Amino acid sequence: MAAMFSQNPLMNGPNYSFNDAPRSNAPDGAREHRFDPYADNGGSTLAIAGADFTIMAGDTRLTSGYSINSRFHPKLFKIGGSTADQKDATLVLSVVGFAADGEALKERLDAICKMYRYRHGKPMSVKACAQRLSTILYQKRFFPYYVHAILGGLDEDGKGAVYSYDPVGSYEREQCRAGGAAASLIMPFLDNQVNFKNQYVPNSGEGHALQERERRPLTRAEVEMLVKDAFDGAVERHIEVGDGLQMMAITKDGIEEIVLPLKKD
Amino acid sequence: MTSIGTGYDLANSIFSPDGRNFQVEYAVKAVENGGTSIGIRCKDGVVLAVEKIITSKLLKPGANKRIATVDRHLGVVYSGMVPDGRHFIERARDEARAWRDTFKTPISTADLASRMGGYLQAYTLYQSVRPFGITAIIGGFDSPAELPVDGEVGSGPACGAGGKVAGKTHGGPFLYMIEPSGLYWGYYGAATGKGRQAAKAELEKLDLGGPGGPALTLEQAVKEAARIIYLSHDESKDKEFELEMTWISGPDGPTKGLHQEVPKELREEAERLAKKAMEADEEDEGKEEKMEE
Amino acid sequence: MDHRPQAWGRPRDDVYGPYDASYLQTSGPKTATQSPVVTGTSVIAIKFKDGVVMAADNLASYGSLARFTDVKRLRPFLSTSVVGFGGDVSDMQYLDRHLTELAIDEAYEHESSAAGTSGGAPGGQLNAANLHKYLSKLMYRRRNDFDPLWNQVLVAGFDGAGKPFLGSVDLRGTAFAAPSLASGFGAMLAQPIMRRHAATDADAAALSREQAVQIVRDCMKVLFYRDARSLDRYSLAVVTRDGVEISEDERLEQQSWAFAERVRGYGTQVV
């Protein structure tokens, strides 16, 4: 039509009317957003399930880039207590990654667990809460909570339970899990020390005859020791980990919180 | 009421042949049944007070406030139907907020009175509504300083066009009373509700409208307000009441331009003085009676 | 030549290229604030024994242009807290108006402020910790809508237990608290100085008001020396249990630019 009469060599069409105007250089009018809604606030978390306890841990440093925003910003939260101080909570959530999403996720899960408690007159089981957390994460599949979440508690048999998640809700019950900046440093250590990977009975043979070291549940003292060692190692090798170590021990008697110093460099 | 009935009192939007809107007059009756409210505009602020009749011993003392804050510098007290008053407050707050939204500056007391006057007047016009069963007293302290616009970032030019005029005064304490008809005037001292006659008589004795402005100070006004509420209280009708008082001073005064409750110590002191004054009056009366004997 | 009426009075396409009318399109994705325009630089604050000291300079920059030089970036809230704004000035104004409205709504439940309880804010009104939480939720919500308020905000005052509180919120809703905080350049230049005096809350609780003010003044000087988007006129706020004092016409005293001579590595000097 009018395009035939254009003198414009580039457009090969008239471009005076706004209706005829080129939309934009980007495909289909899409615009680049300069705002990045995500940030990485560093830090690391760790959870180990024992025979009748679960230990959760996380450092307390909050970073952005090379800056330390705060030396005490907890990553562990008691979930689903009947009051604001969470005195009677039975579950612990750890979140590491983007702190604002972590905070939002924690508040949502806590609200849901509280509602469950009001409605059913009993705290939510770890199993139920774990499934619910997965659903929350998956519901934001296309604008995810940018966090590595770990949920800890005691299961129906009173055994330690640790559930770990990816940002979009894929989850698994595990014996132990490390999350966050130093996950890749801590996880192999845990494989070796908790699940006795690559540990063999000395002089038990060679090649396939080599016997794996017998796996046994760790005691609480052993686990606490492991956690401290894991974080001391992480602090040494990762700049985003440090300042303080927050540990929560979940037993049938409740949740015990311990805060220890870490190197502040 | 002379021409009661005759059908002209059944609807709001109908005048009687002698030019009266009976619904409005009935609304005034509702006000006359309410606990006394007064407002005093004095030299350095405004005091609002209300005689809160205790309708039940099961009500928590000091709760259920009757004087409301409308904007930082504005307070409202009313006599009459409390739910109507609550709605009045809600509307006044909306007006104050809307004013801030458009002009980015607090509404002046006069402007709020005008807006609310117009609002009440509208409730005298239509079949579908009835007038407000309240008379409201609006007290405010308009800032004497040139206020920054809400969210304003700089301080503007220091001189030249748009600069400040030196020595010009603005703002100050203001007091308005709005009746169910929508009629409102600015007052030196205002009273409404049951005990308004006695209260007005007392207010007229105060130095509120002298040529150089009122001489009464804020603290004196608080004490006078307490005394007047105690005085206008009719013990034969209502046994107990609570005194609720708020005040607004200028930016240099005790409330820093904000509408606030009168501090507990001052209120109790004022009440003590009020009770003492009452007792003295009674003694005087007793003496006079004896002398007559 | 195109002789159609819609071409009259318009630059010729063949000479000037096609008119880019893309900005007139109303369809397509919603566009929100995608970058700050007029900006304020660092805000710094440090806790001390009886409260918090905060400072920010009075400059609003338009890119590298020092556009407005009398900008008040520290705002009181309910005369019990102070909010310091860095980043976009128009978003700061929006927040300021929003907080004004919030403060007025708070005043509706009028407990006499003279009868203040131990918890900093009188009569159960919002304290600084509450305000910090509120702002973090507001900012996080706006980032979820992809329409962020382009600010980093420091909130100073007292928490529910009546202890000094200092927190920060950024445009993504990330919220945290610390004994000393600095936004923008201040995080690199001022924070190390402040941490030397207040590494922990216990250290901060040992500082006097005078010490804290002096530390902040020193930091403002360092920032003026090194931050090209800063100004030597600044605002200083001190929050104590008695209320908020903000002075908006502070000046940097006793500057010494002797160090500038020794700065090497960039600029015009060769060696």
Side-chain angles (χ1 to χ4, degrees):
Chain A
M1 303 158 292
M4 298 180 195
F5 308 116
S6 175
Q7 308 269 309
N8 180 351
L10 288 172
M11 298 303 297
N12 195 29
N15 295 293
Y16 298 112
S17 163
F18 293 139
N19 294 325
D20 300 337
R23 292 191 174 251
S24 91
N25 294 329
D28 232 358
R31 271 165 198 255
E32 185 195 359
H33 279 261
R34 269 183 54 193
F35 174 61
D36 175 4
Y38 291 116
D40 181 0
N41 299 114
S44 220
T45 56
L46 166 56
I48 299 173
D52 58 351
F53 64 90
T54 297
I55 297 229
M56 310 272 295
D59 71 320
T60 64
R61 179 175 286 183
L62 183 83
T63 65
S64 59
Y66 288 128
S67 293
I68 296 171
N69 283 335
S70 178
R71 295 194 192 276
F72 189 73
H73 188 85
K75 292 178 185 63
L76 265 49
F77 305 101
K78 296 177 187 173
I79 291 291
S82 55
T83 52
D85 60 14
Q86 308 278 16
K87 218 180 285 174
D88 52 353
T90 56
L91 302 170
V92 173
L93 174 73
S94 75
V95 280
V96 63
F98 174 36
D101 273 349
E103 174 76 10
L105 179 64
K106 164 220 130 187
E107 302 247 314
R108 258 183 84 178
L109 188 70
D110 188 40
I112 286 165
C113 289
K114 279 186 161 63
M115 283 310 294
Y116 181 99
R117 212 180 169 112
Y118 296 144
R119 286 189 179 141
H120 297 86
K122 63 178 183 186
M124 212 170 185
S125 67
V126 235
K127 197 177 173 182
C129 190
Q131 176 57 51
R132 190 66 184 84
L133 177 55
S134 167
T135 312
I136 293 170
L137 289 165
Y138 193 77
Q139 273 173 347
K140 265 175 70 76
R141 175 71 177 76
F142 296 108
F143 186 25
Y145 287 117
Y146 219 77
V147 289
H148 186 319
I150 305 176
L151 185 70
L154 299 177
D155 66 10
E156 285 93 334
D157 305 322
K159 290 193 182 114
V162 164
Y163 290 87
S164 80
Y165 297 78
D166 80 350
V168 288
S170 173
Y171 79 114
E172 187 180 8
R173 182 172 172 177
E174 291 180 296
Q175 195 64 38
C176 63
R177 172 57 67 184
S184 56
L185 277 66
I186 298 175
M187 206 57 220
F189 171 72
L190 295 182
D191 285 338
N192 181 253
Q193 291 295 308
V194 178
N195 293 322
F196 297 154
K197 292 280 165 63
N198 300 307
Q199 291 204 46
Y200 299 95
V201 177
N203 307 320
S204 59
E206 281 184 6
H208 292 298
L210 200 60
Q211 273 177 20
E212 283 193 1
R213 180 181 164 189
E214 194 194 345
R215 288 173 63 184
R216 61 169 178 85
L218 300 175
T219 65
R220 188 172 150 189
E222 284 174 316
V223 171
E224 281 187 21
M225 219 43 216
L226 278 183
V227 169
K228 286 178 208 165
D229 288 346
F231 272 93
D232 281 335
V235 167
E236 210 57 52
R237 288 288 184 176
H238 203 118
I239 55 166
E240 290 173 356
V241 183
D243 292 331
L245 172 60
Q246 184 197 20
M247 264 204 278
M248 287 201 190
I250 311 154
T251 63
K252 62 179 187 336
D253 303 321
I255 302 173
E256 194 184 325
E257 185 174 355
I258 305 153
V259 179
L260 300 166
L262 288 176
K263 281 172 79 170
K264 297 193 195 309
D265 56 2
Chain B
M1 199 130 309
T2 46
S3 49
I4 274 181
T6 63
Y8 292 108
D9 61 346
L10 297 178
N12 209 347
S13 63
I14 295 178
F15 274 120
S16 80
D18 47 347
R20 295 158 62 181
N21 182 340
F22 281 105
Q23 282 298 314
V24 168
E25 292 182 20
Y26 298 161
V28 172
K29 291 278 172 205
V31 174
E32 289 170 4
N33 291 330
T36 317
S37 308
I38 61 165
I40 300 176
R41 172 183 176 273
C42 52
K43 193 167 83 179
D44 44 359
V46 182
V47 176
L48 300 176
V50 62
E51 166 208 29
K52 202 164 72 183
I53 309 287
I54 295 171
T55 52
S56 164
K57 283 202 186 320
L58 298 173
L59 289 169
K60 184 183 168 195
N64 304 309
K65 297 289 184 209
R66 278 279 303 281
I67 311 181
T69 304
V70 165
D71 200 323
R72 282 198 229 264
H73 62 301
L74 290 167
V76 171
V77 65
Y78 52 88
S79 293
M81 301 170 72
V82 176
D84 285 23
R86 294 253 167 85
H87 178 71
F88 181 94
I89 298 298
E90 193 181 322
R91 177 69 188 199
R93 285 171 176 174
D94 286 351
E95 289 289 355
R97 181 181 296 125
W99 184 282
R100 279 196 122 102
D101 281 350
T102 34
F103 301 111
K104 313 295 181 204
T105 184
I107 191 168
S108 70
T109 317
D111 283 312
L112 182 73
S114 162
R115 294 279 179 106
M116 292 313 293
Y119 188 63
L120 257 60
Q121 194 268 134
Y123 277 73
T124 67
L125 294 174
Y126 305 98
Q127 290 269 15
S128 52
V129 293
R130 63 166 176 78
F132 277 65
I134 58 155
T135 288
I137 298 172
I138 300 180
F141 203 111
D142 300 345
S143 173
E146 193 177 327
L147 279 185
V149 172
D150 282 358
E152 179 182 292
V153 131
S155 36
C159 62
K164 284 99 195 164
V165 182
K168 198 181 173 204
T169 54
H170 304 266
F174 291 96
L175 186 69
Y176 286 84
M177 183 159 74
I178 310 181
E179 293 169 28
S181 61
L183 174 96
Y184 68 93
W185 298 115
Y187 288 87
Y188 292 134
T192 182
K194 277 180 205 192
R196 67 196 173 288
Q197 299 294 5
K200 271 190 233 173
E202 288 299 316
L203 285 169
E204 281 167 16
K205 292 182 203 162
L206 301 177
D207 184 2
L208 299 175
L216 202 70
T217 66
L218 199 53
E219 211 152 294
Q220 287 171 324
V222 166
K223 287 167 185 167
E224 292 296 342
R227 189 179 62 80
I228 293 170
I229 290 290
Y230 268 83
L231 191 102
S232 57
H233 175 68
D234 187 349
E235 238 171 85
S236 59
K237 281 189 196 150
D238 307 293
K239 270 266 138 56
E240 283 184 58
F241 75 100
E242 248 176 40
L243 171 64
E244 192 181 320
M245 278 201 294
T246 62
W247 60 352
I248 317 160
S249 77
D252 310 323
T255 79
K256 299 187 178 69
L258 306 179
H259 174 248
Q260 284 177 344
E261 207 172 319
V262 172
K264 193 159 163 270
E265 303 78 47
L266 180 57
R267 194 196 71 223
E268 282 169 355
E269 167 71 0
E271 283 186 278
R272 191 183 62 77
L273 291 173
K275 282 177 193 159
K276 209 168 137 190
M278 298 279 290
E279 280 163 20
D281 276 4
E282 274 163 28
E283 268 173 37
D284 285 352
E285 277 167 31
K287 273 179 201 163
E288 277 162 31
E289 275 166 33
K290 267 183 192 167
M291 277 160 77
E292 276 164 31
E293 279 169 20
Chain C
M1 262 305 270
D2 189 341
H3 296 290
R4 293 179 306 153
Q6 57 265 55
W8 294 353
R10 291 189 168 280
R12 284 167 56 181
D13 281 9
D14 53 344
V15 178
Y16 297 101
Y19 184 76
D20 178 11
S22 60
Y23 78 97
L24 291 160
Q25 293 297 326
T26 48
S27 57
K30 198 186 91 178
T31 53
T33 314
Q34 290 176 39
S35 53
V37 182
V38 178
T39 57
T41 184
S42 329
V43 187
I44 62 171
I46 188 168
K47 290 201 238 182
F48 67 98
K49 185 157 56 79
D50 309 309
V52 190
V53 181
M54 190 186 283
D57 67 28
N58 293 349
L59 181 67
S61 307
Y62 179 71
S64 56
L65 174 73
R67 181 65 184 81
F68 304 102
T69 53
D70 61 347
V71 170
K72 301 164 174 67
R73 297 198 287 130
L74 304 184
R75 302 297 174 122
F77 180 78
L78 284 176
S79 64
T80 53
S81 311
V82 170
V83 188
F85 296 89
D88 192 275
V89 169
S90 66
D91 286 348
M92 168 181 106
Q93 288 178 296
Y94 166 81
L95 278 168
D96 186 38
R97 287 178 186 137
H98 184 77
L99 291 180
T100 301
E101 192 178 323
L102 188 70
I104 292 168
D105 289 357
E106 277 290 301
Y108 291 164
E109 310 299 323
H110 62 131
E111 293 281 324
S112 165
S113 80
T117 47
S118 59
Q125 287 185 325
L126 290 181
N127 60 36
N130 301 143
L131 180 63
H132 180 240
K133 187 68 150 190
Y134 180 88
L135 282 172
S136 75
K137 299 238 161 180
L138 180 68
M139 304 283 266
Y140 183 68
R141 162 118 208 216
R142 291 290 293 257
R143 88 112 218 186
N144 280 346
D145 296 344
F146 272 90
D147 186 12
L149 294 166
W150 216 288
N151 298 105
Q152 184 165 356
V153 177
L154 298 192
V155 184
F158 293 88
D159 63 12
K163 284 193 297 221
F165 175 88
L166 174 59
S168 162
V169 193
D170 69 6
L171 73 168
R172 296 184 181 86
T174 316
F176 47 87
S180 65
L181 284 173
S183 71
F185 249 103
M188 284 85 177
L189 298 173
Q191 185 70 306
I193 300 171
M194 292 192 289
R195 279 197 182 139
R196 212 146 60 199
H197 299 93
T200 62
D201 273 328
D203 296 340
L207 289 176
S208 70
R209 176 188 170 137
E210 289 67 32
Q211 284 173 307
V213 167
Q214 194 50 51
I215 294 164
V216 164
R217 286 189 196 282
D218 290 347
C219 288
M220 290 308 285
K221 198 186 288 182
V222 171
L223 281 169
F224 181 58
Y225 284 150
R226 281 296 184 170
D227 180 358
R229 307 282 166 268
S230 68
L231 198 67
D232 53 355
R233 291 158 147 266
Y234 62 100
S235 307
L236 188 86
V238 183
V239 201
T240 59
R241 286 178 186 84
D242 300 331
V244 173
E245 296 155 54
I246 300 182
S247 106
E248 279 158 343
D249 52 358
E250 300 287 328
R251 286 155 181 272
L252 287 181
E253 310 286 351
Q254 295 176 309
Q255 293 176 42
S256 164
W257 287 86
F259 74 94
E261 250 182 297
R262 298 191 301 275
V263 174
R264 287 287 179 274
Y266 41 92
T268 50
Q269 81 282 8
V270 188
V271 186

